[in-house]
Amino acid sequence: MQEYDGLLVETITNGPFAENCFLVADAATKQAILVDPGDEEERIAAVVERVGVQVVEIVNTHGHIDHAGAVAALKKMLGVPFAIHPGERAWLDHLAASAVAFGLPSRPTPEVDRDLAHGQPLKVGDVTGKVLHTPGHTEGGCCL
């Protein structure tokens, strides 16, 4: 993991789209969030175990299949909540159809536990960041 101002970051490139999922942890507490897990949930879970952090939430920047395909499985595997901007619900509702359209196995729609909003604090252990609503690529797209 690379360290940036008290945060540990591991990039996990995954799936047929070579999408980047990020494991972001507070270096002091080892609490982490998983950002945009798109595919290969078993491999992502293995990375979490290998680096020895505790994932407390899955957070998505948007709901396209390459960013959200593994959310439901990892949510169940890790026993953690899932957060995304409400403008992304339509994308989540169509994950199965999106997967099939790309010739991939169908993916279940993850249950959303928390809505993200512009300016909202995003806490990882003792480090606090911010959610920035950045529509464009998708209606509810966010930067963290």
Side-chain angles (χ1 to χ4, degrees):
M1 294 185 89
Q2 297 287 327
E3 186 167 351
Y4 305 94
D5 295 326
L7 287 177
L8 301 172
V9 179
E10 180 80 13
T11 303
I12 309 164
T13 304
N14 64 91
F17 299 102
E19 180 266 344
N20 289 325
C21 168
F22 298 95
L23 180 59
V24 181
D26 175 351
T29 67
K30 303 295 191 235
Q31 288 188 335
I33 60 171
L34 196 55
V35 180
D36 291 343
D39 199 1
E40 300 185 66
E41 54 271 9
E42 297 287 341
R43 189 167 73 81
I44 292 171
V47 171
V48 170
E49 185 174 333
R50 177 180 54 81
V51 300
V53 297
Q54 177 194 8
V55 174
V56 297
E57 187 172 45
I58 297 169
V59 179
N60 269 55
T61 61
H62 66 288
H64 284 162
I65 187 68
D66 59 324
H67 288 250
V71 170
L74 282 161
K75 185 177 172 188
K76 184 176 180 180
M77 291 167 74
L78 301 173
V80 296
F82 171 52
I84 194 168
H85 190 279
E88 296 302 290
R89 301 274 175 140
W91 287 108
L92 294 178
D93 290 342
H94 293 95
L95 279 182
S98 292
V100 171
F102 285 104
L104 304 172
S106 180
R107 293 299 213 156
T109 298
E111 180 181 338
V112 177
D113 299 293
R114 183 167 73 93
D115 288 331
L116 298 180
H118 182 73
Q120 177 182 45
L122 182 62
K123 201 162 169 62
V124 180
D126 293 332
V127 179
T128 302
K130 188 186 294 187
V131 174
L132 301 174
H133 182 218
T134 53
H137 183 60
T138 62
E139 179 184 332
C142 291
C143 292
L144 310 174

